[in-house]
Amino acid sequence: MTVSAAQPGSVPPVTHRLVADKLVTAREAVLLVRDGDHIAIGGTLYSRTPMALLFELLRTGRTGLTLSRPLACHETELFLACGAAERIVTSWVGIGLRWGLSPVLRHYVENGLASYDEWSHLALGLRYKAAAMGVPFLPTRTMLGSGLADRTGTQRVSCPYTGEELLAVPALAPDVTILHAHRADVYGNVQVDGYRHMDVDMARAARRVIVSAEEIVAPEVIEAAPGSTMLPHFTVDAVVEAPFGSYPHECYGRYEADFRHFDDYVALLREHGPDGARRYVDRNVLGQADFAGFLETAGAGRLDELTRAAQELTSRAGNTT
């Protein structure tokens, strides 16, 4: 098994990213990923997943990857089925309760084809935060009293003030963090609407950061709403414009997740087993020239429906505040 250069307890080196135009194509951006890298995927479950970038990464044929994410969705299954990923670090893999746990992960782990490092949701977040802070670990109570602490080999420490036993979760420094956002400028100043999830710590913990955005805007637009800026330019290496870049997942306020698409995907797994994920990639990723071609298979009408649904949802939320 290829082991990522980002070892537990390591912290990212200090990097200096100049103010420069970082706008590139998705194909150019994923060249920052190398075989054997540890890739942290932004968003959580089917919220703001950088699908356009992940599809492009699948096209590169990279192998030996480790994927980490707070809550992993069906994107993880695709990387396993293609032989791109051999290690998964997360607290959950699946689309949601309606679709059940991941049969693809189960197949690959139980047959020794991949490994699964299970952490609690909080512990994983603290691991990213430790690396972002530049410290080798953070103390916590999470996972104490469960078997997870023992299975991960996590060490325990005594509080120097109270003597309380705490778990020392090690820093997790990905080689590359890949995120999707609502808007960014060409310099890499990134804004999101709604929840930021663990994206800030994941980016600051990583050695390289790639961001796709629904739209590329002028720097003046970013400056006009500084409170929405999630990441400043000096944390980002590459920026990609990717409208509907999270589809079939959702991007808050822009479009909802396509549950019909998930239903079709799960039906493919039920018919063909784990090979269904590979068939999905053949059809939707390798069978298309680019992500725009994949969006065309959804149809403009369907994308409009999901857009209206998101706008209606955020409008209702605004009326209750």
Side-chain angles (χ1 to χ4, degrees):
M1 176 179 293
T2 302
V3 179
S4 167
Q7 298 297 324
S10 66
V11 294
V14 176
T15 56
H16 300 280
R17 299 173 174 92
L18 300 176
V19 180
D21 188 331
K22 300 169 185 173
L23 184 62
V24 296
T25 66
R27 188 160 301 176
E28 292 168 331
V30 297
L31 293 178
L32 290 172
V33 178
R34 308 181 183 108
D35 287 344
D37 273 354
H38 177 150
I39 311 302
I41 300 173
T44 191
L45 199 57
Y46 50 73
S47 175
R48 254 192 320 103
T49 310
M51 294 301 291
L53 291 174
L54 294 177
F55 272 30
E56 197 61 48
L57 181 55
L58 284 170
R59 289 191 187 93
T60 66
R62 292 286 184 267
T63 60
L65 300 177
T66 292
L67 302 183
S68 67
R69 197 176 191 210
L71 294 170
C73 196
H74 88 301
E75 75 289 329
T76 296
E77 298 180 321
L78 307 183
F79 276 80
L80 287 171
C82 290
E86 60 182 24
R87 180 177 170 221
I88 307 300
V89 183
T90 187
S91 61
W92 158 279
V93 180
I95 301 171
L97 296 178
R98 168 174 165 181
W99 297 274
L101 294 172
S102 169
V104 177
L105 178 73
R106 179 183 295 274
H107 169 81
Y108 276 81
V109 173
E110 289 183 348
N111 288 280
L113 303 173
S115 63
Y116 174 36
D117 296 356
E118 184 178 7
W119 297 79
S120 75
H121 187 72
L122 175 58
L124 191 54
L126 290 174
R127 295 192 66 193
Y128 292 129
K129 184 172 288 293
M133 293 172 63
V135 297
F137 73 91
L138 283 175
T140 182
R141 295 187 179 94
T142 187
M143 300 201 312
L144 287 173
S146 76
L148 287 178
D150 296 330
R151 286 200 294 271
T152 57
T154 310
Q155 302 298 307
R156 304 184 186 214
V157 296
S158 295
C159 173
Y161 301 105
T162 66
E164 179 185 4
E165 184 180 68
L166 299 169
L167 205 65
V169 293
L172 183 61
D175 295 297
V176 185
T177 288
I178 300 179
L179 309 171
H180 186 68
H182 288 76
R183 68 195 70 85
D185 64 18
V186 298
Y187 305 114
N189 296 297
V190 178
Q191 294 187 337
V192 297
D193 302 328
Y195 289 115
R196 296 182 177 184
H197 304 301
M198 298 178 185
D199 288 7
V200 174
D201 287 334
M202 293 168 72
R204 291 180 175 173
R207 292 161 171 79
R208 300 180 294 280
V209 178
I210 305 170
V211 177
S212 60
E214 289 293 316
E215 58 178 335
I216 301 301
V217 298
E220 293 76 20
V221 175
I222 302 292
E223 293 170 3
S228 295
T229 302
M230 179 176 74
L231 295 173
H233 68 88
F234 53 81
T235 61
V236 176
D237 294 280
V239 179
V240 176
E241 186 169 29
F244 288 95
S246 283
Y247 179 83
H249 297 198
E250 62 91 20
C251 185
Y252 174 79
R254 295 296 183 111
Y255 45 89
E256 282 292 280
D258 191 343
F259 290 168
R260 289 201 320 230
H261 188 94
F262 293 151
D263 286 339
D264 291 342
Y265 170 72
V266 172
L268 195 62
L269 296 183
R270 288 172 178 162
E271 181 179 359
H272 299 286
D275 187 56
R278 176 67 202 210
R279 291 171 181 253
Y280 178 96
V281 172
D282 288 341
R283 177 191 309 163
N284 296 299
V285 181
L286 303 180
Q288 305 297 331
D290 51 25
F291 195 72
F294 168 63
L295 293 177
E296 288 179 5
T297 66
R302 181 58 176 160
L303 297 179
D304 287 344
E305 289 177 24
L306 298 173
T307 299
R308 288 193 297 270
Q311 292 171 345
E312 180 181 355
L313 180 64
T314 52
S315 175
R316 288 178 179 177
N319 292 333
T320 59
T321 57

